[in-house]
PDB file of all heavy atoms in Angstrom:
ATOM      1  N   ASN A 116     -81.633  60.724 -39.107  1.00  0.00           N
ATOM      2  CA  ASN A 116     -80.301  60.906 -39.721  1.00  0.00           C
ATOM      3  C   ASN A 116     -79.798  62.320 -39.559  1.00  0.00           C
ATOM      4  O   ASN A 116     -79.241  62.927 -40.495  1.00  0.00           O
ATOM      5  CB  ASN A 116     -80.316  60.528 -41.199  1.00  0.00           C
ATOM      6  CG  ASN A 116     -80.397  59.034 -41.427  1.00  0.00           C
ATOM      7  OD1 ASN A 116     -80.517  58.255 -40.479  1.00  0.00           O
ATOM      8  ND2 ASN A 116     -80.356  58.633 -42.681  1.00  0.00           N
ATOM      9  N   THR A 117     -79.991  62.876 -38.373  1.00  0.00           N
ATOM     10  CA  THR A 117     -79.690  64.286 -38.143  1.00  0.00           C
ATOM     11  C   THR A 117     -78.900  64.455 -36.848  1.00  0.00           C
ATOM     12  O   THR A 117     -79.191  63.816 -35.839  1.00  0.00           O
ATOM     13  CB  THR A 117     -80.985  65.114 -38.095  1.00  0.00           C
ATOM     14  OG1 THR A 117     -81.682  64.965 -39.334  1.00  0.00           O
ATOM     15  CG2 THR A 117     -80.689  66.587 -37.860  1.00  0.00           C
ATOM     16  N   VAL A 118     -77.928  65.358 -36.910  1.00  0.00           N
ATOM     17  CA  VAL A 118     -77.185  65.755 -35.729  1.00  0.00           C
ATOM     18  C   VAL A 118     -77.467  67.231 -35.478  1.00  0.00           C
ATOM     19  O   VAL A 118     -77.642  68.008 -36.429  1.00  0.00           O
ATOM     20  CB  VAL A 118     -75.678  65.466 -35.884  1.00  0.00           C
ATOM     21  CG1 VAL A 118     -75.080  66.273 -37.041  1.00  0.00           C
ATOM     22  CG2 VAL A 118     -74.928  65.739 -34.602  1.00  0.00           C
ATOM     23  N   TYR A 119     -77.500  67.608 -34.195  1.00  0.00           N
ATOM     24  CA  TYR A 119     -77.826  68.968 -33.815  1.00  0.00           C
ATOM     25  C   TYR A 119     -76.711  69.565 -32.962  1.00  0.00           C
ATOM     26  O   TYR A 119     -75.964  68.858 -32.307  1.00  0.00           O
ATOM     27  CB  TYR A 119     -79.129  68.989 -32.998  1.00  0.00           C
ATOM     28  CG  TYR A 119     -80.310  68.348 -33.693  1.00  0.00           C
ATOM     29  CD1 TYR A 119     -80.662  67.032 -33.412  1.00  0.00           C
ATOM     30  CD2 TYR A 119     -81.065  69.071 -34.607  1.00  0.00           C
ATOM     31  CE1 TYR A 119     -81.750  66.436 -34.045  1.00  0.00           C
ATOM     32  CE2 TYR A 119     -82.155  68.472 -35.240  1.00  0.00           C
ATOM     33  CZ  TYR A 119     -82.492  67.155 -34.950  1.00  0.00           C
ATOM     34  OH  TYR A 119     -83.565  66.580 -35.577  1.00  0.00           O
ATOM     35  N   LEU A 120     -76.675  70.885 -32.974  1.00  0.00           N
ATOM     36  CA  LEU A 120     -75.811  71.604 -32.028  1.00  0.00           C
ATOM     37  C   LEU A 120     -76.640  72.751 -31.467  1.00  0.00           C
ATOM     38  O   LEU A 120     -76.948  73.714 -32.176  1.00  0.00           O
ATOM     39  CB  LEU A 120     -74.554  72.138 -32.715  1.00  0.00           C
ATOM     40  CG  LEU A 120     -73.584  72.853 -31.782  1.00  0.00           C
ATOM     41  CD1 LEU A 120     -72.967  71.857 -30.777  1.00  0.00           C
ATOM     42  CD2 LEU A 120     -72.470  73.574 -32.551  1.00  0.00           C
ATOM     43  N   GLN A 121     -77.008  72.614 -30.222  1.00  0.00           N
ATOM     44  CA  GLN A 121     -77.720  73.674 -29.511  1.00  0.00           C
ATOM     45  C   GLN A 121     -76.702  74.589 -28.876  1.00  0.00           C
ATOM     46  O   GLN A 121     -75.846  74.123 -28.100  1.00  0.00           O
ATOM     47  CB  GLN A 121     -78.636  73.086 -28.441  1.00  0.00           C
ATOM     48  CG  GLN A 121     -79.358  74.111 -27.595  1.00  0.00           C
ATOM     49  CD  GLN A 121     -80.401  74.894 -28.377  1.00  0.00           C
ATOM     50  OE1 GLN A 121     -81.168  74.309 -29.144  1.00  0.00           O
ATOM     51  NE2 GLN A 121     -80.440  76.204 -28.176  1.00  0.00           N
ATOM     52  N   MET A 122     -76.760  75.858 -29.214  1.00  0.00           N
ATOM     53  CA  MET A 122     -75.803  76.819 -28.687  1.00  0.00           C
ATOM     54  C   MET A 122     -76.549  77.905 -27.928  1.00  0.00           C
ATOM     55  O   MET A 122     -77.448  78.544 -28.475  1.00  0.00           O
ATOM     56  CB  MET A 122     -74.986  77.431 -29.830  1.00  0.00           C
ATOM     57  CG  MET A 122     -74.186  76.409 -30.617  1.00  0.00           C
ATOM     58  SD  MET A 122     -73.040  77.167 -31.773  1.00  0.00           S
ATOM     59  CE  MET A 122     -74.187  77.958 -32.888  1.00  0.00           C
ATOM     60  N   ASN A 123     -76.166  78.113 -26.695  1.00  0.00           N
ATOM     61  CA  ASN A 123     -76.774  79.118 -25.836  1.00  0.00           C
ATOM     62  C   ASN A 123     -75.716  80.127 -25.375  1.00  0.00           C
ATOM     63  O   ASN A 123     -74.507  79.879 -25.513  1.00  0.00           O
ATOM     64  CB  ASN A 123     -77.415  78.444 -24.614  1.00  0.00           C
ATOM     65  CG  ASN A 123     -78.436  77.403 -24.990  1.00  0.00           C
ATOM     66  OD1 ASN A 123     -79.237  77.593 -25.912  1.00  0.00           O
ATOM     67  ND2 ASN A 123     -78.442  76.284 -24.275  1.00  0.00           N
ATOM     68  N   SER A 124     -76.188  81.217 -24.823  1.00  0.00           N
ATOM     69  CA  SER A 124     -75.290  82.260 -24.306  1.00  0.00           C
ATOM     70  C   SER A 124     -74.188  82.592 -25.311  1.00  0.00           C
ATOM     71  O   SER A 124     -73.010  82.640 -24.981  1.00  0.00           O
ATOM     72  CB  SER A 124     -74.668  81.793 -22.983  1.00  0.00           C
ATOM     73  OG  SER A 124     -75.660  81.493 -22.027  1.00  0.00           O
ATOM     74  N   LEU A 125     -74.601  82.815 -26.535  1.00  0.00           N
ATOM     75  CA  LEU A 125     -73.636  83.015 -27.605  1.00  0.00           C
ATOM     76  C   LEU A 125     -72.843  84.313 -27.389  1.00  0.00           C
ATOM     77  O   LEU A 125     -73.377  85.309 -26.881  1.00  0.00           O
ATOM     78  CB  LEU A 125     -74.338  83.048 -28.950  1.00  0.00           C
ATOM     79  CG  LEU A 125     -74.736  81.647 -29.471  1.00  0.00           C
ATOM     80  CD1 LEU A 125     -75.810  81.753 -30.544  1.00  0.00           C
ATOM     81  CD2 LEU A 125     -73.509  80.938 -30.002  1.00  0.00           C
ATOM     82  N   LYS A 126     -71.571  84.236 -27.804  1.00  0.00           N
ATOM     83  CA  LYS A 126     -70.645  85.358 -27.664  1.00  0.00           C
ATOM     84  C   LYS A 126     -70.166  85.785 -29.056  1.00  0.00           C
ATOM     85  O   LYS A 126     -70.157  84.963 -29.980  1.00  0.00           O
ATOM     86  CB  LYS A 126     -69.440  84.936 -26.817  1.00  0.00           C
ATOM     87  CG  LYS A 126     -69.779  84.371 -25.456  1.00  0.00           C
ATOM     88  CD  LYS A 126     -68.531  83.879 -24.765  1.00  0.00           C
ATOM     89  CE  LYS A 126     -68.847  83.260 -23.398  1.00  0.00           C
ATOM     90  NZ  LYS A 126     -67.610  82.772 -22.726  1.00  0.00           N
ATOM     91  N   PRO A 127     -69.692  87.016 -29.187  1.00  0.00           N
ATOM     92  CA  PRO A 127     -69.155  87.427 -30.492  1.00  0.00           C
ATOM     93  C   PRO A 127     -68.049  86.508 -31.002  1.00  0.00           C
ATOM     94  O   PRO A 127     -67.939  86.286 -32.209  1.00  0.00           O
ATOM     95  CB  PRO A 127     -68.636  88.836 -30.217  1.00  0.00           C
ATOM     96  CG  PRO A 127     -69.505  89.338 -29.115  1.00  0.00           C
ATOM     97  CD  PRO A 127     -69.776  88.133 -28.242  1.00  0.00           C
ATOM     98  N   GLU A 128     -67.283  85.937 -30.094  1.00  0.00           N
ATOM     99  CA  GLU A 128     -66.193  85.037 -30.527  1.00  0.00           C
ATOM    100  C   GLU A 128     -66.692  83.698 -31.038  1.00  0.00           C
ATOM    101  O   GLU A 128     -65.902  82.890 -31.529  1.00  0.00           O
ATOM    102  CB  GLU A 128     -65.181  84.835 -29.399  1.00  0.00           C
ATOM    103  CG  GLU A 128     -65.797  84.432 -28.050  1.00  0.00           C
ATOM    104  CD  GLU A 128     -65.982  85.638 -27.127  1.00  0.00           C
ATOM    105  OE1 GLU A 128     -66.448  86.702 -27.605  1.00  0.00           O
ATOM    106  OE2 GLU A 128     -65.673  85.490 -25.919  1.00  0.00           O
ATOM    107  N   ASP A 129     -67.994  83.462 -30.941  1.00  0.00           N
ATOM    108  CA  ASP A 129     -68.566  82.256 -31.543  1.00  0.00           C
ATOM    109  C   ASP A 129     -68.854  82.465 -33.039  1.00  0.00           C
ATOM    110  O   ASP A 129     -69.246  81.504 -33.731  1.00  0.00           O
ATOM    111  CB  ASP A 129     -69.871  81.870 -30.838  1.00  0.00           C
ATOM    112  CG  ASP A 129     -69.644  81.409 -29.396  1.00  0.00           C
ATOM    113  OD1 ASP A 129     -68.701  80.664 -29.138  1.00  0.00           O
ATOM    114  OD2 ASP A 129     -70.456  81.834 -28.528  1.00  0.00           O
ATOM    115  N   THR A 130     -68.680  83.656 -33.508  1.00  0.00           N
ATOM    116  CA  THR A 130     -68.914  83.947 -34.928  1.00  0.00           C
ATOM    117  C   THR A 130     -67.957  83.137 -35.791  1.00  0.00           C
ATOM    118  O   THR A 130     -66.749  83.180 -35.621  1.00  0.00           O
ATOM    119  CB  THR A 130     -68.712  85.452 -35.205  1.00  0.00           C
ATOM    120  OG1 THR A 130     -69.713  86.193 -34.486  1.00  0.00           O
ATOM    121  CG2 THR A 130     -68.813  85.740 -36.690  1.00  0.00           C
ATOM    122  N   ALA A 131     -68.545  82.379 -36.721  1.00  0.00           N
ATOM    123  CA  ALA A 131     -67.752  81.489 -37.581  1.00  0.00           C
ATOM    124  C   ALA A 131     -68.685  80.792 -38.564  1.00  0.00           C
ATOM    125  O   ALA A 131     -69.903  80.860 -38.426  1.00  0.00           O
ATOM    126  CB  ALA A 131     -67.016  80.439 -36.741  1.00  0.00           C
ATOM    127  N   VAL A 132     -68.071  80.106 -39.506  1.00  0.00           N
ATOM    128  CA  VAL A 132     -68.810  79.168 -40.336  1.00  0.00           C
ATOM    129  C   VAL A 132     -68.748  77.821 -39.627  1.00  0.00           C
ATOM    130  O   VAL A 132     -67.664  77.356 -39.264  1.00  0.00           O
ATOM    131  CB  VAL A 132     -68.242  79.049 -41.748  1.00  0.00           C
ATOM    132  CG1 VAL A 132     -69.022  78.016 -42.555  1.00  0.00           C
ATOM    133  CG2 VAL A 132     -68.277  80.406 -42.455  1.00  0.00           C
ATOM    134  N   TYR A 133     -69.890  77.223 -39.406  1.00  0.00           N
ATOM    135  CA  TYR A 133     -69.988  75.951 -38.709  1.00  0.00           C
ATOM    136  C   TYR A 133     -70.191  74.823 -39.719  1.00  0.00           C
ATOM    137  O   TYR A 133     -71.090  74.903 -40.560  1.00  0.00           O
ATOM    138  CB  TYR A 133     -71.116  75.979 -37.689  1.00  0.00           C
ATOM    139  CG  TYR A 133     -70.767  76.784 -36.459  1.00  0.00           C
ATOM    140  CD1 TYR A 133     -70.642  78.166 -36.516  1.00  0.00           C
ATOM    141  CD2 TYR A 133     -70.526  76.154 -35.234  1.00  0.00           C
ATOM    142  CE1 TYR A 133     -70.291  78.911 -35.399  1.00  0.00           C
ATOM    143  CE2 TYR A 133     -70.175  76.892 -34.105  1.00  0.00           C
ATOM    144  CZ  TYR A 133     -70.053  78.258 -34.197  1.00  0.00           C
ATOM    145  OH  TYR A 133     -69.701  78.991 -33.079  1.00  0.00           O
ATOM    146  N   TYR A 134     -69.354  73.797 -39.581  1.00  0.00           N
ATOM    147  CA  TYR A 134     -69.371  72.685 -40.527  1.00  0.00           C
ATOM    148  C   TYR A 134     -69.739  71.389 -39.819  1.00  0.00           C
ATOM    149  O   TYR A 134     -69.247  71.088 -38.728  1.00  0.00           O
ATOM    150  CB  TYR A 134     -67.999  72.491 -41.164  1.00  0.00           C
ATOM    151  CG  TYR A 134     -67.533  73.630 -42.028  1.00  0.00           C
ATOM    152  CD1 TYR A 134     -66.775  74.672 -41.499  1.00  0.00           C
ATOM    153  CD2 TYR A 134     -67.856  73.683 -43.385  1.00  0.00           C
ATOM    154  CE1 TYR A 134     -66.333  75.715 -42.269  1.00  0.00           C
ATOM    155  CE2 TYR A 134     -67.422  74.729 -44.182  1.00  0.00           C
ATOM    156  CZ  TYR A 134     -66.667  75.739 -43.616  1.00  0.00           C
ATOM    157  OH  TYR A 134     -66.242  76.785 -44.413  1.00  0.00           O
ATOM    158  N   CYS A 135     -70.541  70.611 -40.475  1.00  0.00           N
ATOM    159  CA  CYS A 135     -70.893  69.279 -40.012  1.00  0.00           C
ATOM    160  C   CYS A 135     -69.881  68.289 -40.587  1.00  0.00           C
ATOM    161  O   CYS A 135     -69.483  68.400 -41.758  1.00  0.00           O
ATOM    162  CB  CYS A 135     -72.313  68.946 -40.507  1.00  0.00           C
ATOM    163  SG  CYS A 135     -72.894  67.313 -40.092  1.00  0.00           S
ATOM    164  N   ASN A 136     -69.467  67.341 -39.766  1.00  0.00           N
ATOM    165  CA  ASN A 136     -68.510  66.318 -40.186  1.00  0.00           C
ATOM    166  C   ASN A 136     -69.040  64.940 -39.850  1.00  0.00           C
ATOM    167  O   ASN A 136     -69.589  64.718 -38.784  1.00  0.00           O
ATOM    168  CB  ASN A 136     -67.178  66.563 -39.471  1.00  0.00           C
ATOM    169  CG  ASN A 136     -66.223  65.399 -39.641  1.00  0.00           C
ATOM    170  OD1 ASN A 136     -66.160  64.489 -38.817  1.00  0.00           O
ATOM    171  ND2 ASN A 136     -65.444  65.432 -40.708  1.00  0.00           N
TER     172      ASN A 136
END
Side-chain angles (χ1 to χ4, degrees):
N116 287 4
T117 300
V118 63
Y119 305 97
L120 183 67
Q121 176 68 44
M122 300 189 295
N123 303 319
S124 303
L125 283 161
K126 305 175 181 180
E128 50 263 44
D129 293 317
T130 295
V132 178
Y133 284 70
Y134 296 91
C135 178
N136 169 267

